[in-house]
């Protein structure tokens, strides 16, 4: 039975894993007993300044132990945490503060060349009527009077599974940011349901480079470690050589996160798999030794979104996918249902048919800031994700891209993910990124590819190979060969920037 509130989870870990590292960064480490004690003290400090259950507390900080400490302090007293991206420009930050109704903001004074003290001082506070106070991390205190601790503990005892725990912003595929609301019970259950498939077990030392202000870092990293009794290894800034030393020193056992970053580390001249001999199966394949046959186990591509609090579909990451399920994202985890509907009629489609993905279940998000429930869910409780895919007869899910990425060629729906999967099945192609683009008034398929190390990709040869696997009109007619993944245009949230990718493809010879 999973724990369904954050304060109860902190208390459990302080009791059953007191000396185990909870979070480790380059400068400090915090054990579970210390995390419980110090977050209680920090919470008392916040309570003394008026923070109460139900208040929305923003957190604008870089990854590290202090981020985790402040987050746990807010959530343990029933305040709703609002992680904010350090990449946001001042107008974007102001918009998210207003939309989420942030009442107190905890911020780092400076990070990565940004002076947040100055930037926050310049915000138009009249446009932020909910924002009552801003506290910088260098002025936060610990401790409190017995009376203050009594109030803090009473607030922790009052937290229920149905109370809001966090508002996480997501930009989807490039639209207006949405503040996605998760309750304690829904978030912790959703996260616990996928731990076994993701190989995050008690005692693991999990490295996750994703920022803690995104669902990938917060849910996939911090909450996963807390739920499992594992250790989160995190960095404010990830740089291959520095990361390698950090992971060796801390004896990392799992490397999850972006395949792109794992590939960059694997290509670093200082890297050899023996350097990370503590890594276990279930880590990203690029960092694991190849099999004696020179092959790596094909893992399922985990599928999830901010609304599902991270992955909601998967398959054991330390086990090869069944041959007949290659390309799937595994099966839905407990607490989430998936169905595929026709894009036009909204009627459910049978197994094997590609359409629009809808989700339902007790572990799904509660709502979106500023939106009515009717604007978010169907009358029968399903959430239209905007994603495309299909379910096979055994319930395995196959992702087919975003609804707005779908290409209509000759009146037929073409799914970029299908083409990308076919390209990545070729021996010379490591990664593929496919999109539709308009050229001389007609729609075409374009692909940016990253060759395997040492391989030389010739578009004409790729076209010939693909023609044996795909219908002719699905074969890309516009190509760009990437020199590295850094050349791939991305949005501030790390997703592929589709308009910029189209421009890159159109600019290629």
């Amino acid at each position: 039975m999973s724990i369904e509130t954050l304060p109860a989870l902190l208390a459990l870990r302080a009791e059953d894993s007191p000396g185990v590292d909870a979070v480790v960064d380059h400068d400090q480490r915090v054990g579970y007993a210390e995390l419980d004690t110090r977050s209680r003290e920090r919470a008392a400090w916040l309570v003394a300044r008026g923070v109460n259950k139900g208040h929305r507390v923003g957190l604008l900080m870089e990854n590290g132990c202090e981020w985790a400490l402040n987050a746990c302090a807010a959530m343990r007293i029933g305040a709703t945490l609002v992680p904010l991206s350090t990449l946001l420009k001042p107008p974007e930050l102001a918009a998210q503060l207003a939309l989420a109704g942030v009442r107190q903001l905890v911020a780092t004074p400076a990070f990565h060349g940004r002076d947040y003290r100055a930037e926050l001082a310049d915000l138009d506070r009249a446009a932020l009527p909910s924002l009552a106070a801003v506290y910088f991390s260098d002025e936060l205190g610990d401790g409190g009077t017995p009376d203050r601790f009594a109030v803090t503990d009473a607030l922790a005892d009052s937290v229920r599974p149905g109370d809001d725990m966090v508002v996480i912003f997501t930009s989807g595929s490039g639209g207006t940011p949405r503040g996605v609301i998760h309750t304690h019970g829904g978030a912790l259950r959703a996260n616990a349901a996928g731990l076994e498939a993701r190989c995050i077990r008690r005692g693991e030392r999990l490295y996750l480079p994703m920022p803690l202000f995104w669902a990938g870092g917060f849910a996939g990293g911090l909450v996963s470690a807390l739920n499992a009794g594992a250790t989160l290894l995190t960095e404010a800034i990830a740089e291959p050589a520095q990361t390698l030393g950090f992971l060796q020193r801390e004896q990392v056992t799992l490397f999850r996160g972006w395949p792109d970053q794992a590939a960059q580390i694997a290509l670093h001249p200082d890297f050899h798999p023996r350097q990370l001999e503590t890594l276990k199966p279930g880590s990203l394949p690029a960092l694991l030794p190849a099999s004696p046959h020179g092959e790596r186990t094909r893992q399922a591509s985990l599928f999830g979104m901010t609304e599902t609090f991270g992955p909601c579909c998967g398959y054991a990451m330390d086990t090869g996918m069944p041959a007949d399920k290659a390309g799937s994202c595994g099966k839905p985890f407990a607490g989430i249902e998936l169905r595929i509907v026709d894009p036009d009629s909204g009627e459910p489609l049978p197994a094997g048919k590609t359409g629009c993905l809808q989700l339902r279940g007790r572990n799904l998000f509660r709502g979106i800031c500023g939106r009515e429930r009717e604007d978010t869910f169907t009358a029968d409780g399903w959430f239209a994700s905007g994603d495309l895919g299909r379910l096979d007869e055994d319930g395995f899910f196959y992702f087919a891209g975003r609804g707005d990425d779908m290409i209509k060629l000759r009146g037929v729906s073409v799914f970029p993910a299908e083409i990308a999967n076919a390209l990545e099945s070729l021996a010379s192609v490591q990664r593929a990124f496919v999109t539709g683009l308009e050229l001389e008034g007609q729609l075409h398929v374009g692909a940016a590819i990253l060759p395997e190390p040492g391989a030389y990709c010739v578009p004409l040869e790729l076209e010939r190979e693909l023609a044996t696997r795909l219908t002719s009109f699905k074969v890309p007619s516009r190509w760009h060969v990437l020199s590295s993944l850094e050349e791939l245009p991305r949005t501030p949230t790390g997703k592929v920037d589709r308009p910029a990718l189209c421009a890159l493809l159109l600019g290629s010879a």
Side-chain angles (χ1 to χ4, degrees):
M1 180 177 179
S2 63
I3 300 297
E4 297 192 353
T5 71
L6 192 282
L9 185 56
L10 288 173
L12 174 65
R13 292 290 167 251
E15 180 181 347
D16 68 12
S17 308
V20 173
D21 290 331
V23 184
V24 179
D25 61 29
H26 282 285
D27 300 316
Q28 61 175 312
R29 65 187 65 239
V30 177
Y32 276 108
E34 183 182 4
L35 180 62
D36 184 46
T37 299
R38 289 186 59 194
S39 66
R40 178 175 179 255
E41 292 172 344
R42 181 63 50 83
W45 189 91
L46 293 172
V47 167
R49 283 148 187 83
V51 179
N52 208 332
K53 183 178 181 181
H55 287 187
R56 288 186 173 172
V57 176
L59 184 55
L60 179 67
M61 294 183 69
E62 68 276 24
N63 278 18
C65 293
E66 289 298 315
W67 199 103
L69 172 64
N70 290 313
C72 289
M75 292 184 291
R76 72 177 295 144
I77 55 175
T80 304
L81 179 70
V82 185
L84 297 159
S85 170
T86 56
L87 303 174
L88 295 173
K89 301 301 183 184
E92 297 171 315
L93 176 60
Q96 292 191 9
L97 289 169
L99 183 59
V102 169
R103 185 157 178 170
Q104 295 91 0
L105 174 63
V106 176
T108 184
F111 175 62
H112 218 212
R114 300 274 297 274
D115 184 346
Y116 291 104
R117 202 185 298 272
E119 290 185 17
L120 290 169
D122 288 342
L123 290 182
D124 179 8
R125 295 293 286 271
L128 298 169
S130 298
L131 188 60
V134 176
Y135 305 114
F136 291 97
S137 56
D138 59 0
E139 64 189 28
L140 299 177
D142 290 326
T145 64
D147 287 347
R148 194 66 61 195
F149 279 126
V151 173
T152 300
D153 293 343
L155 287 171
D157 290 341
S158 74
V159 176
R160 298 291 179 264
D163 293 336
D164 291 345
M165 184 179 89
V166 65
V167 172
I168 306 180
F169 278 94
T170 176
S171 61
S173 59
T176 303
R178 305 188 303 275
V180 179
I181 307 167
H182 284 280
T183 65
H184 284 255
L188 295 181
R189 287 192 305 266
N191 181 262
L195 288 178
E196 189 61 28
R198 293 161 55 217
C199 306
I200 303 176
R201 306 176 181 101
R202 188 178 180 86
E204 299 293 354
R205 298 180 71 79
L206 166 70
Y207 173 75
L208 197 87
M210 294 178 175
L212 291 168
F213 50 71
W214 288 340
F218 179 66
L222 180 60
V223 176
S224 292
L226 293 173
N227 243 337
T231 298
L232 174 65
L233 309 176
T234 187
E235 298 179 289
I237 299 175
E239 187 277 325
Q242 180 176 268
T243 298
L244 267 174
F246 179 54
L247 299 182
Q248 283 182 279
R249 186 190 78 207
E250 295 301 331
Q251 297 187 306
V252 61
T253 63
L254 287 176
F255 188 118
R256 301 295 321 145
W258 287 305
D260 297 359
Q261 193 212 15
Q264 289 174 349
I265 292 176
L267 292 173
H268 193 274
D270 294 339
F271 174 75
H272 190 281
R274 283 195 297 270
Q275 290 176 293
L276 301 178
E277 60 185 1
T278 53
L279 273 183
K280 296 180 179 180
S283 298
L284 290 177
L287 298 176
L288 293 171
S291 74
H293 305 289
E295 300 173 346
R296 291 190 172 95
T297 298
R298 282 282 183 180
Q299 296 179 338
S301 297
L302 293 171
F303 175 79
M305 59 195 75
T306 301
E307 289 84 354
T308 58
F309 203 67
C312 64
C313 287
Y315 192 84
M317 300 297 289
D318 56 356
T319 304
M321 287 286 291
D324 63 339
K325 304 301 179 185
S328 86
C329 301
K331 300 180 73 170
F333 298 144
I336 290 288
E337 298 175 71
L338 273 59
R339 76 175 180 183
I340 307 298
V341 302
D342 183 271
D344 298 319
S345 70
E347 291 299 312
L349 292 172
K353 295 292 185 180
T354 299
C356 297
L357 172 67
Q358 295 184 347
L359 305 98
R360 183 173 67 179
R362 68 192 298 252
N363 294 347
L364 202 60
F365 70 113
R366 180 180 71 78
I368 293 175
C369 292
R371 294 192 189 179
E372 296 279 2
R373 182 173 177 84
E374 291 76 13
D375 298 329
T376 305
F377 297 95
T378 64
D380 52 350
W382 292 89
F383 166 63
S385 69
D387 291 317
L388 301 167
R390 62 184 172 88
L391 289 164
D392 70 12
E393 293 182 351
D394 298 318
F396 281 73
F397 175 68
Y398 294 75
F399 178 64
R402 290 285 301 171
D404 49 9
D405 292 338
M406 185 171 62
I407 311 163
K408 281 282 189 181
L409 289 175
R410 303 180 187 178
V412 178
S413 297
V414 176
F415 305 105
E418 177 191 5
I419 302 169
N421 287 337
L423 275 166
E424 290 177 0
S425 72
L426 303 181
S428 60
V429 178
Q430 181 183 140
R431 298 294 305 280
F433 306 88
V434 177
T435 189
L437 54 113
E438 188 171 329
L439 183 62
E440 298 178 352
Q442 293 188 340
L443 280 176
H444 293 259
V445 178
I449 57 170
L450 179 70
E452 286 284 1
Y456 183 64
C457 288
V458 178
L460 186 59
E461 293 178 1
L462 295 176
E463 288 177 21
R464 289 192 188 115
E465 287 190 83
L466 277 185
T468 66
R469 303 171 187 231
L470 296 173
T471 307
S472 59
F473 63 80
K474 296 180 182 179
V475 176
S477 58
R478 200 76 179 185
W479 298 85
H480 182 85
V481 180
L482 299 165
S483 58
S484 72
L485 286 172
E486 293 179 357
E487 189 184 350
L488 186 71
R490 294 187 182 277
T491 68
T493 57
K495 296 181 173 69
V496 175
D497 186 330
R498 294 291 172 183
L501 177 59
C502 288
L504 183 68
L505 288 162
L506 291 171
S508 298

